[in-house]
Amino acid sequence: MSILVVTAVAAEADAVVAGLPTSVGLTVAAVGVGPVAAAAGTARRLALAEAAGRPHTAVVNAGIAGGFVGRAAVGATVIGASSVAADLGAESEEGFLSLDDLGFGTPTVVTADPALLAALRGGLPDAVVGEILTVTTVTGTDASTAALLARRPEAVAEAMEGFGAAHAAAEAGLPFVELRTISNPIGPRHRDGWQIGAALSALTAAAPAVGALTAAR
């Protein structure tokens, strides 16, 4: 299996590479922040690999994230059972309406590939498994945190790229899974309390399980 691992920024890519044996056949690339950059960057790398005659056969989105308090603590590793476009939709007097609610026919949830999910769970038995939300604005208040959880009660973490990368993988007909490590609790924004270094170290520690996915199918 030839796996493309996409991250938002170079520091995340470096953290993944630091935990991989040199013999593992993975391509790790930073594709930018946000779902649009993730979708475009993932699609471009998939197309280039196919054109070169070395097509990828699976996609992993890896990086750091915020964790919902009581569900994914700072330093924890999280595996996405699904990646959700949590703020893609419309406001209404009755509350938020997703694209599914609006009847646009475009799914806002991409379910992780069962084989990749099972393999990561086997390699990371202490990881938290649940929905990882993709947002375009990082949640920064108690009210918005509560609103997200009311809409997505299975959510454990939020980041900004998962759904974009997942959509690109789905368009290419490839299996996908999202892996995150937690740098901060979701809620009021206290940047001084974020533990980005610890989350990157946790990402390095989780990387061997990603490398083992090359033999998962």
Side-chain angles (χ1 to χ4, degrees):
M1 175 176 280
S2 172
I3 297 177
L4 173 64
V5 181
V6 293
T7 71
V9 297
E12 294 168 321
D14 291 344
V16 173
V17 171
L20 293 173
T22 55
S23 59
V24 172
L26 297 181
T27 298
V28 183
V31 294
V33 176
V36 173
T42 301
R44 177 175 180 272
R45 282 160 178 78
L46 291 175
L48 288 173
E50 185 173 1
R54 298 185 297 274
H56 295 297
T57 53
V59 177
V60 177
N61 177 217
I64 65 175
F68 286 102
V69 175
R71 302 185 180 194
V74 172
T77 297
V78 174
I79 305 168
S82 57
S83 300
V84 181
D87 57 7
L88 184 59
E91 291 184 332
S92 76
E93 295 296 335
E94 292 75 32
F96 177 82
L97 299 173
S98 71
L99 295 188
D100 303 310
D101 297 325
L102 294 167
F104 286 172
T106 301
T108 55
V109 178
V110 177
T111 302
D113 176 76
L116 296 181
L117 178 61
L120 277 186
R121 293 184 76 164
L124 298 166
D126 295 328
V128 177
V129 180
E131 286 187 350
I132 301 178
L133 307 185
T134 299
V135 296
T136 53
T137 300
V138 173
T139 304
T141 68
D142 287 330
S144 53
T145 302
L148 271 181
L149 287 176
R151 297 203 309 265
R152 307 300 315 186
E154 301 302 316
V156 295
E158 74 167 23
M160 301 182 78
E161 294 78 33
F163 181 79
H167 184 72
E171 287 293 301
L174 298 181
F176 172 85
V177 70
E178 184 173 0
L179 173 71
R180 296 282 174 175
T181 53
I182 304 302
S183 61
N184 59 281
I186 297 169
R189 184 177 171 83
H190 301 301
R191 185 63 187 268
D192 292 343
W194 288 19
Q195 297 185 33
I196 293 176
L200 291 173
S201 294
L203 192 58
T204 297
V210 178
L213 295 178
T214 56
R217 294 172 71 90

